[in-house]
Amino acid sequence: QVQLVESGGGVVQAGGSLRLSCAASGSTFSITSMGWYRQVPGKQRELVATITRGGNTNYAECAKGRFTISRDNAKNTVYLQMDSLKPEDTAVYYCNANRYYGGSNYSQWGQGTQVTVSS
């Protein structure tokens, strides 16, 4: 099992920045990639960005050029630096960890952190 604890959400004005953190604990050796997703009430959860253990990154169009995902493997922590925030970035942001263990893949989620961007 892996436990994920997110932090760093809050309220920010449009054009501002926030940095989200997600600390993993437990069987972290089994994590293959981590990422951030977001969800607005009434809509499906959507990808924001992912990063593999080796550092390969993938961004959704909404994040390209404004958000940066990074990870500190020694601390088992992944970060999402969000710059030039827009009101449409308002959502609950969830940390995700993909694990490979015992021949099976697992996906685990954090509890989510609210990001509100005011206009």
Side-chain angles (χ1 to χ4, degrees), residues 20-79:
L20 306 183
S21 299
C22 175
S25 61
S27 303
T28 56
F29 64 89
S30 62
I31 294 175
T32 57
S33 67
M34 296 182 71
W36 290 95
Y37 292 71
R38 68 187 187 185
Q39 189 169 23
V40 175
K43 293 190 176 182
Q44 284 192 328
R45 193 170 297 185
E46 65 175 3
L47 168 73
V48 177
T50 61
I51 186 167
T52 67
R53 180 175 286 275
N56 293 320
T57 59
N58 178 53
Y59 293 93
E61 284 300 319
C62 63
K64 288 180 180 178
R66 299 187 301 124
F67 296 179
T68 303
I69 190 169
S70 61
R71 66 187 294 169
D72 185 332
N73 287 335
K75 295 182 178 180
N76 295 309
T77 300
V78 64
Y79 306 96

